[in-house]
Amino acid sequence: MTVEERLQRIESMLVVLVERQTIKNFYEVEEFAKSVGKSSFTVREWCRLGRIRAEKKLSGRGAYARWVVPHAELLRYQKEGLLPYRRPA
């Protein structure tokens, strides 16, 4: 393996590490689910039931909004777990 090939390999691994460590303001349901090891359906239900603090944001797909979870909520969930169950109004 040449020095150039090794440098390219190291560079590609660094790109993966940087992408993994990127902090976003909001995570989509799929991203949040992947980071906590749950399914997207489960996380959407948590949002709907108020088990995690999430917001509805317009998605650019007409009148349909999508759930997004703030980074602070991801950190809170990792430390404390789910919020108590609240009955839907």
Side-chain angles (χ1 to χ4, degrees), residues 27-29 44 47-48 54-56 65-69:
Y27 297 94
E28 293 184 16
V29 167
R44 271 192 295 278
C47 295
R48 188 178 66 80
E55 303 172 16
K56 285 273 196 159
R66 69 184 194 284
W67 287 107
V68 292
V69 183

Side-chain angles (χ1 to χ4, degrees), residues 48-79:
R48 188 178 66 80
L49 296 172
R51 302 294 310 267
I52 58 174
R53 294 180 187 106
E55 303 172 16
K56 285 273 196 159
K57 298 244 179 183
L58 291 178
S59 63
R61 296 181 179 177
Y64 300 104
R66 69 184 194 284
W67 287 107
V68 292
V69 183
H71 178 72
E73 180 63 8
L74 173 62
L75 296 177
R76 189 209 59 78
Y77 171 81
Q78 290 172 336
K79 288 181 182 177

Side-chain angles (χ1 to χ4, degrees), residues 1-16:
M1 191 182 263
T2 68
V3 174
E4 287 181 17
E5 291 172 340
R6 290 183 73 190
L7 285 174
Q8 286 177 346
R9 185 172 172 221
I10 291 170
E11 197 172 88
S12 66
M13 287 189 282
L14 282 173
V15 167
V16 170

